[in-house]
Amino acid sequence: MKQKQLPQDYYQRLEEIQAVDFAILELNLYLDTHPQDQAAMQQFNQYTQYSKKLKSEFEARYGPLQHFGNSYTDANWSWGSAPWPWQI
């Protein structure tokens, strides 16, 4: 099977999403033990909103990241047309 050629922008956007989601996870773990840290909560909320924005922009350009949740598909069920995880 021939691998789909993807633009460099695809990888840059995906890497940014992964980095932001990693920061969210780390903040989540920190807040589990420091629930009164208002600055960390504010940072968590900011990163969460930024992650949603990045994912929305990515999905509008390249298709859904997941087949459930906040993702969407069009009338042609284009979920299967995006590259599979092992293709990137």
Side-chain angles (χ1 to χ4, degrees):
M1 179 159 93
K2 187 176 180 181
Q3 200 167 15
K4 210 177 213 182
Q5 186 68 13
L6 298 168
Q8 187 62 30
D9 180 67
Y10 179 95
Y11 298 103
Q12 290 170 339
R13 288 174 182 263
L14 191 58
E15 186 175 338
E16 185 173 13
I17 289 168
Q18 292 169 337
V20 170
D21 283 355
F22 178 80
I24 292 168
L25 176 61
E26 289 296 310
L27 284 164
N28 183 59
L29 293 172
Y30 174 81
L31 285 164
D32 283 347
T33 58
H34 300 81
Q36 304 304 319
D37 188 333
Q38 294 297 313
M41 268 190 259
Q42 183 179 10
Q43 194 174 28
F44 176 86
N45 289 331
Q46 288 172 337
Y47 275 112
T48 300
Q49 290 302 314
Y50 187 50
S51 176
K52 288 179 184 181
K53 178 182 177 286
L54 290 174
K55 289 174 183 176
S56 177
E57 290 171 355
F58 182 94
E59 289 180 341
R61 184 174 215 143
Y62 297 111
L65 286 163
Q66 299 177 329
H67 64 285
F68 58 87
N70 294 330
S71 298
Y72 65 91
T73 190
D74 56 23
N76 297 317
W77 189 248
S78 62
W79 159 251
S81 65
W84 295 96
W86 57 87
Q87 294 176 310
I88 56 171

